[in-house]
Amino acid sequence: EAGVTQFPSHSVIEKGQTVTLRCDPISGHDNLYWYRRVMGKEIKFLLHFVKESKQDESGMPNNRFLAERTGGTYSTLKVQPAELEDSGVYFCASSQAGMGTGELFFGEGSRLTVL
Amino acid sequence: GENVEQHPSTLSVQEGDSAVIKCTYSDSASNYFPWYKQELGKRPQLIIDIRSNVGEKKDQRIAVTLNKTAKHFSLHITETQPEDSAVYFCAASKGNYQLIWGAGTKLIIKP
């Protein structure tokens, strides 16, 4: 069974440009999460989808970040325009059970470097 | 809001020795505490978790202990091996709320 896949694995862009990250969750997992880890710091929650609906987007830093999950399958996270502080590793995870109640299955992450 | 502190940030132990990583949480309503392991260049994976109705859980060489009164929980790895080298993350949540993560511990196993 395929795990959670993320694309791209690494993206280097200049400040002010746009980047779109994609996540394909495990088939059948209704719950999809986006997290971010800045180097050496904790994994920070960004948002949580249940199917195509945003269940909790309290972790989104600002309106430069837009997440979508049309059709309840894959999800995209767009950063526009990117700033230096957006650099980090963006993880996607999916689960069958709801947040905080069971195992999360992570992707390998998308490393974003903003120059 | 909920806060999880994790110590140490880096831990170096001799192969065969034990390693202990500690986390404290702030919200007494937290009731689920997982530990994830991230090997270099790979994805984080759940290695063990504990719920607030038990004080200890063991799975082969790894164990987790929970002290609800003191609001801390620890990961114990015995007889460490080279493949235990990784970054370990603790997390805490209450009910169906989001997981709050620690900053991670880089565990280095010296041959």
mmCIF file of all heavy atoms in Angstrom, chain A residues 13-64:
data_model
loop_
_atom_site.group_PDB
_atom_site.id
_atom_site.type_symbol
_atom_site.label_atom_id
_atom_site.label_comp_id
_atom_site.label_asym_id
_atom_site.label_seq_id
_atom_site.Cartn_x
_atom_site.Cartn_y
_atom_site.Cartn_z
ATOM 1 N N ILE A 13 13.122 28.913 -3.825
ATOM 2 C CA ILE A 13 12.515 30.033 -4.540
ATOM 3 C C ILE A 13 13.019 31.332 -3.949
ATOM 4 O O ILE A 13 13.602 31.366 -2.861
ATOM 5 C CB ILE A 13 10.973 29.990 -4.466
ATOM 6 C CG1 ILE A 13 10.497 30.072 -3.013
ATOM 7 C CG2 ILE A 13 10.441 28.750 -5.147
ATOM 8 C CD1 ILE A 13 8.995 30.216 -2.877
ATOM 9 N N GLU A 14 12.763 32.409 -4.659
ATOM 10 C CA GLU A 14 13.150 33.715 -4.160
ATOM 11 C C GLU A 14 11.970 34.358 -3.444
ATOM 12 O O GLU A 14 10.804 34.077 -3.737
ATOM 13 C CB GLU A 14 13.642 34.593 -5.309
ATOM 14 C CG GLU A 14 14.952 34.083 -5.904
ATOM 15 C CD GLU A 14 15.574 35.089 -6.856
ATOM 16 O OE1 GLU A 14 14.920 36.077 -7.213
ATOM 17 O OE2 GLU A 14 16.736 34.858 -7.261
ATOM 18 N N LYS A 15 12.319 35.211 -2.523
ATOM 19 C CA LYS A 15 11.296 35.967 -1.791
ATOM 20 C C LYS A 15 10.353 36.631 -2.788
ATOM 21 O O LYS A 15 10.790 37.208 -3.794
ATOM 22 C CB LYS A 15 11.994 37.021 -0.936
ATOM 23 C CG LYS A 15 11.063 37.942 -0.191
ATOM 24 C CD LYS A 15 11.861 38.984 0.593
ATOM 25 C CE LYS A 15 10.922 40.038 1.154
ATOM 26 N NZ LYS A 15 11.652 41.081 1.911
ATOM 27 N N GLY A 16 9.055 36.516 -2.518
ATOM 28 C CA GLY A 16 8.063 37.129 -3.383
ATOM 29 C C GLY A 16 7.464 36.181 -4.405
ATOM 30 O O GLY A 16 6.418 36.471 -4.995
ATOM 31 N N GLN A 17 8.143 35.047 -4.610
ATOM 32 C CA GLN A 17 7.615 34.072 -5.568
ATOM 33 C C GLN A 17 6.550 33.204 -4.900
ATOM 34 O O GLN A 17 6.285 33.311 -3.694
ATOM 35 C CB GLN A 17 8.755 33.202 -6.116
ATOM 36 C CG GLN A 17 9.691 33.970 -7.049
ATOM 37 C CD GLN A 17 10.714 33.056 -7.699
ATOM 38 O OE1 GLN A 17 11.280 32.158 -7.068
ATOM 39 N NE2 GLN A 17 10.975 33.286 -8.987
ATOM 40 N N THR A 18 5.956 32.364 -5.718
ATOM 41 C CA THR A 18 4.880 31.482 -5.269
ATOM 42 C C THR A 18 5.332 30.032 -5.335
ATOM 43 O O THR A 18 6.062 29.650 -6.269
ATOM 44 C CB THR A 18 3.637 31.663 -6.159
ATOM 45 O OG1 THR A 18 3.176 33.020 -6.037
ATOM 46 C CG2 THR A 18 2.523 30.711 -5.745
ATOM 47 N N VAL A 19 4.917 29.256 -4.356
ATOM 48 C CA VAL A 19 5.218 27.828 -4.372
ATOM 49 C C VAL A 19 3.953 27.067 -3.991
ATOM 50 O O VAL A 19 3.174 27.528 -3.149
ATOM 51 C CB VAL A 19 6.376 27.478 -3.416
ATOM 52 C CG1 VAL A 19 6.015 27.764 -1.965
ATOM 53 C CG2 VAL A 19 6.807 26.022 -3.588
ATOM 54 N N THR A 20 3.748 25.951 -4.656
ATOM 55 C CA THR A 20 2.615 25.086 -4.325
ATOM 56 C C THR A 20 3.132 23.702 -3.982
ATOM 57 O O THR A 20 3.837 23.078 -4.776
ATOM 58 C CB THR A 20 1.617 24.993 -5.492
ATOM 59 O OG1 THR A 20 1.117 26.305 -5.777
ATOM 60 C CG2 THR A 20 0.446 24.093 -5.115
ATOM 61 N N LEU A 21 2.796 23.251 -2.796
ATOM 62 C CA LEU A 21 3.192 21.930 -2.324
ATOM 63 C C LEU A 21 1.984 21.010 -2.431
ATOM 64 O O LEU A 21 0.852 21.421 -2.185
ATOM 65 C CB LEU A 21 3.670 22.009 -0.869
ATOM 66 C CG LEU A 21 4.690 23.095 -0.548
ATOM 67 C CD1 LEU A 21 5.020 23.087 0.936
ATOM 68 C CD2 LEU A 21 5.937 22.934 -1.380
ATOM 69 N N ARG A 22 2.268 19.754 -2.759
ATOM 70 C CA ARG A 22 1.172 18.815 -2.934
ATOM 71 C C ARG A 22 1.344 17.628 -2.001
ATOM 72 O O ARG A 22 2.456 17.172 -1.745
ATOM 73 C CB ARG A 22 1.099 18.323 -4.370
ATOM 74 C CG ARG A 22 0.085 17.193 -4.570
ATOM 75 C CD ARG A 22 -0.137 16.833 -5.999
ATOM 76 N NE ARG A 22 -0.913 15.595 -6.103
ATOM 77 C CZ ARG A 22 -1.812 15.362 -7.064
ATOM 78 N NH1 ARG A 22 -2.042 16.261 -8.008
ATOM 79 N NH2 ARG A 22 -2.474 14.209 -7.091
ATOM 80 N N CYS A 23 0.228 17.113 -1.534
ATOM 81 C CA CYS A 23 0.225 15.947 -0.658
ATOM 82 C C CYS A 23 -0.844 14.969 -1.119
ATOM 83 O O CYS A 23 -2.009 15.341 -1.292
ATOM 84 C CB CYS A 23 -0.061 16.353 0.782
ATOM 85 S SG CYS A 23 -0.403 14.957 1.884
ATOM 86 N N ASP A 24 -0.446 13.716 -1.302
ATOM 87 C CA ASP A 24 -1.397 12.643 -1.572
ATOM 88 C C ASP A 24 -1.457 11.748 -0.341
ATOM 89 O O ASP A 24 -0.473 11.065 -0.033
ATOM 90 C CB ASP A 24 -0.965 11.851 -2.810
ATOM 91 C CG ASP A 24 -1.187 12.609 -4.095
ATOM 92 O OD1 ASP A 24 -0.388 13.522 -4.403
ATOM 93 O OD2 ASP A 24 -2.184 12.308 -4.773
ATOM 94 N N PRO A 25 -2.580 11.735 0.345
ATOM 95 C CA PRO A 25 -2.679 10.934 1.574
ATOM 96 C C PRO A 25 -2.857 9.458 1.240
ATOM 97 O O PRO A 25 -3.018 9.081 0.081
ATOM 98 C CB PRO A 25 -3.929 11.490 2.247
ATOM 99 C CG PRO A 25 -4.800 11.896 1.088
ATOM 100 C CD PRO A 25 -3.845 12.414 0.041
ATOM 101 N N ILE A 26 -2.841 8.645 2.259
ATOM 102 C CA ILE A 26 -3.141 7.231 2.088
ATOM 103 C C ILE A 26 -4.609 7.108 1.672
ATOM 104 O O ILE A 26 -5.485 7.771 2.245
ATOM 105 C CB ILE A 26 -2.862 6.455 3.383
ATOM 106 C CG1 ILE A 26 -1.343 6.440 3.644
ATOM 107 C CG2 ILE A 26 -3.421 5.047 3.319
ATOM 108 C CD1 ILE A 26 -0.949 5.830 4.973
ATOM 109 N N SER A 27 -4.852 6.272 0.683
ATOM 110 C CA SER A 27 -6.200 6.113 0.177
ATOM 111 C C SER A 27 -7.152 5.685 1.295
ATOM 112 O O SER A 27 -6.859 4.769 2.067
ATOM 113 C CB SER A 27 -6.193 5.050 -0.937
ATOM 114 O OG SER A 27 -7.503 4.819 -1.405
ATOM 115 N N GLY A 28 -8.267 6.389 1.380
ATOM 116 C CA GLY A 28 -9.259 6.048 2.395
ATOM 117 C C GLY A 28 -9.147 6.843 3.676
ATOM 118 O O GLY A 28 -10.025 6.779 4.534
ATOM 119 N N HIS A 29 -8.049 7.589 3.822
ATOM 120 C CA HIS A 29 -7.890 8.417 5.019
ATOM 121 C C HIS A 29 -8.632 9.737 4.824
ATOM 122 O O HIS A 29 -8.263 10.549 3.985
ATOM 123 C CB HIS A 29 -6.416 8.691 5.293
ATOM 124 C CG HIS A 29 -5.703 7.541 5.929
ATOM 125 N ND1 HIS A 29 -4.420 7.657 6.433
ATOM 126 C CD2 HIS A 29 -6.097 6.265 6.165
ATOM 127 C CE1 HIS A 29 -4.061 6.487 6.949
ATOM 128 N NE2 HIS A 29 -5.067 5.627 6.791
ATOM 129 N N ASP A 30 -9.642 9.962 5.644
ATOM 130 C CA ASP A 30 -10.401 11.192 5.532
ATOM 131 C C ASP A 30 -9.653 12.387 6.135
ATOM 132 O O ASP A 30 -9.857 13.519 5.740
ATOM 133 C CB ASP A 30 -11.748 11.057 6.252
ATOM 134 C CG ASP A 30 -12.712 10.146 5.502
ATOM 135 O OD1 ASP A 30 -12.513 9.919 4.287
ATOM 136 O OD2 ASP A 30 -13.677 9.666 6.130
ATOM 137 N N ASN A 31 -8.806 12.105 7.126
ATOM 138 C CA ASN A 31 -8.112 13.170 7.841
ATOM 139 C C ASN A 31 -6.761 13.460 7.200
ATOM 140 O O ASN A 31 -5.954 12.552 6.990
ATOM 141 C CB ASN A 31 -7.894 12.776 9.298
ATOM 142 C CG ASN A 31 -9.188 12.630 10.046
ATOM 143 O OD1 ASN A 31 -9.772 13.591 10.502
ATOM 144 N ND2 ASN A 31 -9.657 11.378 10.161
ATOM 145 N N LEU A 32 -6.537 14.727 6.891
ATOM 146 C CA LEU A 32 -5.278 15.154 6.296
ATOM 147 C C LEU A 32 -4.804 16.384 7.036
ATOM 148 O O LEU A 32 -5.579 17.294 7.314
ATOM 149 C CB LEU A 32 -5.458 15.452 4.805
ATOM 150 C CG LEU A 32 -4.211 15.791 3.983
ATOM 151 C CD1 LEU A 32 -4.392 15.341 2.533
ATOM 152 C CD2 LEU A 32 -3.850 17.242 4.044
ATOM 153 N N TYR A 33 -3.516 16.392 7.384
ATOM 154 C CA TYR A 33 -2.945 17.471 8.179
ATOM 155 C C TYR A 33 -1.729 18.040 7.465
ATOM 156 O O TYR A 33 -0.982 17.317 6.820
ATOM 157 C CB TYR A 33 -2.482 16.950 9.545
ATOM 158 C CG TYR A 33 -3.467 16.049 10.245
ATOM 159 C CD1 TYR A 33 -3.513 14.692 9.942
ATOM 160 C CD2 TYR A 33 -4.331 16.544 11.206
ATOM 161 C CE1 TYR A 33 -4.411 13.849 10.573
ATOM 162 C CE2 TYR A 33 -5.227 15.702 11.854
ATOM 163 C CZ TYR A 33 -5.267 14.354 11.532
ATOM 164 O OH TYR A 33 -6.158 13.520 12.169
ATOM 165 N N TRP A 34 -1.527 19.320 7.657
ATOM 166 C CA TRP A 34 -0.286 19.972 7.248
ATOM 167 C C TRP A 34 0.429 20.473 8.502
ATOM 168 O O TRP A 34 -0.188 21.071 9.390
ATOM 169 C CB TRP A 34 -0.551 21.151 6.319
ATOM 170 C CG TRP A 34 -0.881 20.775 4.911
ATOM 171 C CD1 TRP A 34 -2.115 20.694 4.340
ATOM 172 C CD2 TRP A 34 0.059 20.452 3.868
ATOM 173 N NE1 TRP A 34 -2.010 20.330 3.019
ATOM 174 C CE2 TRP A 34 -0.691 20.182 2.698
ATOM 175 C CE3 TRP A 34 1.455 20.365 3.798
ATOM 176 C CZ2 TRP A 34 -0.099 19.832 1.482
ATOM 177 C CZ3 TRP A 34 2.038 20.024 2.593
ATOM 178 C CH2 TRP A 34 1.271 19.760 1.458
ATOM 179 N N TYR A 35 1.734 20.209 8.534
ATOM 180 C CA TYR A 35 2.594 20.673 9.618
ATOM 181 C C TYR A 35 3.821 21.350 9.007
ATOM 182 O O TYR A 35 4.173 21.128 7.857
ATOM 183 C CB TYR A 35 3.094 19.498 10.476
ATOM 184 C CG TYR A 35 2.052 18.824 11.327
ATOM 185 C CD1 TYR A 35 1.365 17.710 10.861
ATOM 186 C CD2 TYR A 35 1.774 19.286 12.609
ATOM 187 C CE1 TYR A 35 0.421 17.068 11.654
ATOM 188 C CE2 TYR A 35 0.833 18.644 13.411
ATOM 189 C CZ TYR A 35 0.163 17.541 12.918
ATOM 190 O OH TYR A 35 -0.767 16.916 13.709
ATOM 191 N N ARG A 36 4.495 22.149 9.818
ATOM 192 C CA ARG A 36 5.740 22.765 9.387
ATOM 193 C C ARG A 36 6.763 22.659 10.505
ATOM 194 O O ARG A 36 6.430 22.837 11.689
ATOM 195 C CB ARG A 36 5.521 24.240 9.035
ATOM 196 C CG ARG A 36 6.804 24.977 8.673
ATOM 197 C CD ARG A 36 6.524 26.360 8.162
ATOM 198 N NE ARG A 36 6.077 27.275 9.204
ATOM 199 C CZ ARG A 36 5.833 28.562 8.979
ATOM 200 N NH1 ARG A 36 5.964 29.053 7.763
ATOM 201 N NH2 ARG A 36 5.425 29.350 9.952
ATOM 202 N N ARG A 37 8.012 22.380 10.100
ATOM 203 C CA ARG A 37 9.102 22.391 11.078
ATOM 204 C C ARG A 37 10.201 23.305 10.575
ATOM 205 O O ARG A 37 10.805 23.066 9.537
ATOM 206 C CB ARG A 37 9.668 20.994 11.335
ATOM 207 C CG ARG A 37 10.683 21.005 12.486
ATOM 208 C CD ARG A 37 11.274 19.678 12.797
ATOM 209 N NE ARG A 37 12.056 19.761 14.036
ATOM 210 C CZ ARG A 37 13.252 19.199 14.190
ATOM 211 N NH1 ARG A 37 13.800 18.515 13.201
ATOM 212 N NH2 ARG A 37 13.893 19.326 15.342
ATOM 213 N N VAL A 38 10.432 24.359 11.337
ATOM 214 C CA VAL A 38 11.564 25.231 11.083
ATOM 215 C C VAL A 38 12.757 24.580 11.761
ATOM 216 O O VAL A 38 12.607 23.971 12.829
ATOM 217 C CB VAL A 38 11.299 26.639 11.640
ATOM 218 C CG1 VAL A 38 12.529 27.516 11.499
ATOM 219 C CG2 VAL A 38 10.113 27.267 10.926
ATOM 220 N N MET A 39 13.949 24.709 11.177
ATOM 221 C CA MET A 39 15.123 23.974 11.638
ATOM 222 C C MET A 39 15.323 24.041 13.149
ATOM 223 O O MET A 39 15.386 25.114 13.739
ATOM 224 C CB MET A 39 16.380 24.516 10.957
ATOM 225 C CG MET A 39 17.618 23.688 11.253
ATOM 226 S SD MET A 39 19.125 24.383 10.556
ATOM 227 C CE MET A 39 18.735 24.316 8.829
ATOM 228 N N GLY A 40 15.406 22.878 13.766
ATOM 229 C CA GLY A 40 15.711 22.779 15.181
ATOM 230 C C GLY A 40 14.548 23.058 16.113
ATOM 231 O O GLY A 40 14.703 22.984 17.328
ATOM 232 N N LYS A 41 13.405 23.372 15.554
ATOM 233 C CA LYS A 41 12.268 23.703 16.413
ATOM 234 C C LYS A 41 11.186 22.633 16.312
ATOM 235 O O LYS A 41 11.331 21.634 15.641
ATOM 236 C CB LYS A 41 11.714 25.073 16.022
ATOM 237 C CG LYS A 41 12.732 26.180 16.226
ATOM 238 C CD LYS A 41 12.080 27.542 16.225
ATOM 239 C CE LYS A 41 13.095 28.598 16.609
ATOM 240 N NZ LYS A 41 12.488 29.955 16.645
ATOM 241 N N GLU A 42 10.093 22.880 17.044
ATOM 242 C CA GLU A 42 9.055 21.870 17.115
ATOM 243 C C GLU A 42 8.273 21.793 15.814
ATOM 244 O O GLU A 42 8.293 22.708 14.993
ATOM 245 C CB GLU A 42 8.107 22.158 18.281
ATOM 246 C CG GLU A 42 7.207 23.376 18.106
ATOM 247 C CD GLU A 42 7.856 24.642 18.595
ATOM 248 O OE1 GLU A 42 9.096 24.713 18.657
ATOM 249 O OE2 GLU A 42 7.104 25.579 18.907
ATOM 250 N N ILE A 43 7.584 20.671 15.639
ATOM 251 C CA ILE A 43 6.670 20.519 14.517
ATOM 252 C C ILE A 43 5.420 21.330 14.850
ATOM 253 O O ILE A 43 4.800 21.123 15.889
ATOM 254 C CB ILE A 43 6.307 19.035 14.310
ATOM 255 C CG1 ILE A 43 7.565 18.211 13.968
ATOM 256 C CG2 ILE A 43 5.262 18.889 13.224
ATOM 257 C CD1 ILE A 43 7.324 16.715 13.937
ATOM 258 N N LYS A 44 5.074 22.250 13.982
ATOM 259 C CA LYS A 44 3.917 23.125 14.262
ATOM 260 C C LYS A 44 2.752 22.777 13.352
ATOM 261 O O LYS A 44 2.907 22.660 12.139
ATOM 262 C CB LYS A 44 4.294 24.588 14.081
ATOM 263 C CG LYS A 44 5.091 25.140 15.236
ATOM 264 C CD LYS A 44 4.803 26.614 15.456
ATOM 265 C CE LYS A 44 5.308 27.062 16.806
ATOM 266 N NZ LYS A 44 4.962 28.434 17.116
ATOM 267 N N PHE A 45 1.612 22.647 13.939
ATOM 268 C CA PHE A 45 0.376 22.353 13.232
ATOM 269 C C PHE A 45 -0.025 23.557 12.377
ATOM 270 O O PHE A 45 0.049 24.708 12.819
ATOM 271 C CB PHE A 45 -0.711 22.054 14.259
ATOM 272 C CG PHE A 45 -2.104 22.002 13.712
ATOM 273 C CD1 PHE A 45 -2.575 20.874 13.077
ATOM 274 C CD2 PHE A 45 -2.953 23.101 13.839
ATOM 275 C CE1 PHE A 45 -3.872 20.820 12.579
ATOM 276 C CE2 PHE A 45 -4.245 23.063 13.357
ATOM 277 C CZ PHE A 45 -4.707 21.914 12.731
ATOM 278 N N LEU A 46 -0.440 23.276 11.142
ATOM 279 C CA LEU A 46 -0.961 24.330 10.276
ATOM 280 C C LEU A 46 -2.469 24.190 10.123
ATOM 281 O O LEU A 46 -3.210 25.115 10.442
ATOM 282 C CB LEU A 46 -0.273 24.289 8.907
ATOM 283 C CG LEU A 46 1.233 24.552 8.903
ATOM 284 C CD1 LEU A 46 1.797 24.413 7.485
ATOM 285 C CD2 LEU A 46 1.543 25.926 9.461
ATOM 286 N N LEU A 47 -2.899 23.042 9.584
ATOM 287 C CA LEU A 47 -4.338 22.848 9.478
ATOM 288 C C LEU A 47 -4.707 21.397 9.294
ATOM 289 O O LEU A 47 -3.852 20.549 9.047
ATOM 290 C CB LEU A 47 -4.929 23.703 8.351
ATOM 291 C CG LEU A 47 -4.996 23.134 6.931
ATOM 292 C CD1 LEU A 47 -6.011 23.905 6.118
ATOM 293 C CD2 LEU A 47 -3.648 23.159 6.293
ATOM 294 N N HIS A 48 -5.993 21.138 9.416
ATOM 295 C CA HIS A 48 -6.551 19.788 9.402
ATOM 296 C C HIS A 48 -7.783 19.768 8.505
ATOM 297 O O HIS A 48 -8.702 20.579 8.686
ATOM 298 C CB HIS A 48 -6.905 19.395 10.833
ATOM 299 C CG HIS A 48 -7.712 18.137 10.970
ATOM 300 N ND1 HIS A 48 -8.580 17.934 12.031
ATOM 301 C CD2 HIS A 48 -7.764 17.001 10.223
ATOM 302 C CE1 HIS A 48 -9.134 16.741 11.915
ATOM 303 N NE2 HIS A 48 -8.663 16.157 10.833
ATOM 304 N N PHE A 49 -7.769 18.853 7.538
ATOM 305 C CA PHE A 49 -8.934 18.611 6.690
ATOM 306 C C PHE A 49 -9.621 17.326 7.138
ATOM 307 O O PHE A 49 -8.966 16.331 7.457
ATOM 308 C CB PHE A 49 -8.509 18.402 5.232
ATOM 309 C CG PHE A 49 -8.153 19.640 4.478
ATOM 310 C CD1 PHE A 49 -6.824 19.991 4.290
ATOM 311 C CD2 PHE A 49 -9.135 20.441 3.915
ATOM 312 C CE1 PHE A 49 -6.482 21.128 3.570
ATOM 313 C CE2 PHE A 49 -8.800 21.572 3.188
ATOM 314 C CZ PHE A 49 -7.469 21.919 3.015
ATOM 315 N N VAL A 50 -10.944 17.339 7.098
ATOM 316 C CA VAL A 50 -11.707 16.104 7.137
ATOM 317 C C VAL A 50 -12.421 16.043 5.793
ATOM 318 O O VAL A 50 -13.282 16.875 5.501
ATOM 319 C CB VAL A 50 -12.719 16.072 8.292
ATOM 320 C CG1 VAL A 50 -13.539 14.779 8.220
ATOM 321 C CG2 VAL A 50 -12.010 16.174 9.629
ATOM 322 N N LYS A 51 -12.017 15.092 5.001
ATOM 323 C CA LYS A 51 -12.425 15.043 3.592
ATOM 324 C C LYS A 51 -12.069 16.391 2.965
ATOM 325 O O LYS A 51 -10.944 16.819 3.045
ATOM 326 C CB LYS A 51 -13.907 14.696 3.491
ATOM 327 C CG LYS A 51 -14.223 13.300 4.042
ATOM 328 C CD LYS A 51 -15.684 12.911 3.832
ATOM 329 C CE LYS A 51 -15.926 11.520 4.402
ATOM 330 N NZ LYS A 51 -17.346 11.089 4.237
ATOM 331 N N GLU A 52 -13.026 17.075 2.352
ATOM 332 C CA GLU A 52 -12.666 18.334 1.692
ATOM 333 C C GLU A 52 -12.847 19.550 2.579
ATOM 334 O O GLU A 52 -12.534 20.669 2.172
ATOM 335 C CB GLU A 52 -13.499 18.499 0.410
ATOM 336 C CG GLU A 52 -14.984 18.706 0.632
ATOM 337 C CD GLU A 52 -15.749 17.406 0.791
ATOM 338 O OE1 GLU A 52 -15.098 16.339 0.915
ATOM 339 O OE2 GLU A 52 -16.985 17.457 0.798
ATOM 340 N N SER A 53 -13.325 19.348 3.805
ATOM 341 C CA SER A 53 -13.619 20.476 4.687
ATOM 342 C C SER A 53 -12.454 20.782 5.624
ATOM 343 O O SER A 53 -11.826 19.888 6.174
ATOM 344 C CB SER A 53 -14.867 20.166 5.523
ATOM 345 O OG SER A 53 -15.976 19.953 4.697
ATOM 346 N N LYS A 54 -12.229 22.070 5.842
ATOM 347 C CA LYS A 54 -11.208 22.489 6.804
ATOM 348 C C LYS A 54 -11.794 22.370 8.205
ATOM 349 O O LYS A 54 -12.692 23.114 8.577
ATOM 350 C CB LYS A 54 -10.790 23.937 6.521
ATOM 351 C CG LYS A 54 -10.005 24.082 5.232
ATOM 352 C CD LYS A 54 -9.669 25.538 4.924
ATOM 353 C CE LYS A 54 -8.981 25.633 3.568
ATOM 354 N NZ LYS A 54 -8.759 27.032 3.152
ATOM 355 N N GLN A 55 -11.265 21.426 8.959
ATOM 356 C CA GLN A 55 -11.754 21.196 10.313
ATOM 357 C C GLN A 55 -11.154 22.208 11.298
ATOM 358 O O GLN A 55 -11.808 22.655 12.225
ATOM 359 C CB GLN A 55 -11.379 19.778 10.746
ATOM 360 C CG GLN A 55 -11.843 19.368 12.117
ATOM 361 C CD GLN A 55 -13.317 19.027 12.149
ATOM 362 O OE1 GLN A 55 -13.981 18.964 11.114
ATOM 363 N NE2 GLN A 55 -13.855 18.820 13.317
ATOM 364 N N ASP A 56 -9.885 22.514 11.063
ATOM 365 C CA ASP A 56 -9.167 23.409 11.975
ATOM 366 C C ASP A 56 -8.027 24.030 11.200
ATOM 367 O O ASP A 56 -7.157 23.316 10.718
ATOM 368 C CB ASP A 56 -8.634 22.607 13.167
ATOM 369 C CG ASP A 56 -7.881 23.468 14.190
ATOM 370 O OD1 ASP A 56 -7.630 24.649 13.921
ATOM 371 O OD2 ASP A 56 -7.529 22.932 15.254
ATOM 372 N N GLU A 57 -8.057 25.332 11.027
ATOM 373 C CA GLU A 57 -6.962 26.010 10.328
ATOM 374 C C GLU A 57 -6.313 27.044 11.229
ATOM 375 O O GLU A 57 -5.746 28.025 10.752
ATOM 376 C CB GLU A 57 -7.447 26.630 9.018
ATOM 377 C CG GLU A 57 -8.647 27.545 9.141
ATOM 378 C CD GLU A 57 -9.122 28.047 7.775
ATOM 379 O OE1 GLU A 57 -8.294 28.214 6.865
ATOM 380 O OE2 GLU A 57 -10.339 28.287 7.645
ATOM 381 N N SER A 58 -6.391 26.796 12.516
ATOM 382 C CA SER A 58 -5.889 27.766 13.486
ATOM 383 C C SER A 58 -4.378 27.947 13.439
ATOM 384 O O SER A 58 -3.861 28.938 13.945
ATOM 385 C CB SER A 58 -6.301 27.342 14.902
ATOM 386 O OG SER A 58 -5.751 26.086 15.221
ATOM 387 N N GLY A 59 -3.675 27.006 12.826
ATOM 388 C CA GLY A 59 -2.224 27.102 12.787
ATOM 389 C C GLY A 59 -1.671 27.815 11.565
ATOM 390 O O GLY A 59 -0.456 28.046 11.473
ATOM 391 N N MET A 60 -2.525 28.186 10.639
ATOM 392 C CA MET A 60 -2.048 28.871 9.436
ATOM 393 C C MET A 60 -1.484 30.238 9.839
ATOM 394 O O MET A 60 -2.173 31.025 10.483
ATOM 395 C CB MET A 60 -3.186 29.029 8.436
ATOM 396 C CG MET A 60 -3.684 27.696 7.908
ATOM 397 S SD MET A 60 -2.517 26.918 6.783
ATOM 398 C CE MET A 60 -3.194 27.478 5.220
ATOM 399 N N PRO A 61 -0.240 30.531 9.444
ATOM 400 C CA PRO A 61 0.430 31.734 9.940
ATOM 401 C C PRO A 61 -0.243 33.045 9.512
ATOM 402 O O PRO A 61 -0.319 33.983 10.302
ATOM 403 C CB PRO A 61 1.835 31.640 9.355
ATOM 404 C CG PRO A 61 1.981 30.260 8.807
ATOM 405 C CD PRO A 61 0.631 29.733 8.548
ATOM 406 N N ASN A 62 -0.680 33.098 8.271
ATOM 407 C CA ASN A 62 -1.278 34.344 7.751
ATOM 408 C C ASN A 62 -1.943 34.046 6.417
ATOM 409 O O ASN A 62 -1.970 32.900 5.961
ATOM 410 C CB ASN A 62 -0.176 35.412 7.582
ATOM 411 C CG ASN A 62 1.024 34.879 6.814
ATOM 412 O OD1 ASN A 62 0.894 34.454 5.663
ATOM 413 N ND2 ASN A 62 2.184 34.860 7.448
ATOM 414 N N ASN A 63 -2.487 35.088 5.798
ATOM 415 C CA ASN A 63 -3.254 34.853 4.570
ATOM 416 C C ASN A 63 -2.387 34.642 3.336
ATOM 417 O O ASN A 63 -2.900 34.540 2.216
ATOM 418 C CB ASN A 63 -4.248 35.995 4.339
ATOM 419 C CG ASN A 63 -3.545 37.348 4.241
ATOM 420 O OD1 ASN A 63 -2.316 37.417 4.154
ATOM 421 N ND2 ASN A 63 -4.312 38.415 4.260
ATOM 422 N N ARG A 64 -1.092 34.550 3.514
ATOM 423 C CA ARG A 64 -0.237 34.182 2.383
ATOM 424 C C ARG A 64 -0.271 32.671 2.152
ATOM 425 O O ARG A 64 0.228 32.192 1.130
ATOM 426 C CB ARG A 64 1.203 34.632 2.631
ATOM 427 C CG ARG A 64 1.368 36.154 2.707
ATOM 428 C CD ARG A 64 2.821 36.575 2.813
ATOM 429 N NE ARG A 64 3.441 36.158 4.069
ATOM 430 C CZ ARG A 64 4.266 35.128 4.176
ATOM 431 N NH1 ARG A 64 4.589 34.408 3.118
ATOM 432 N NH2 ARG A 64 4.788 34.835 5.361
#
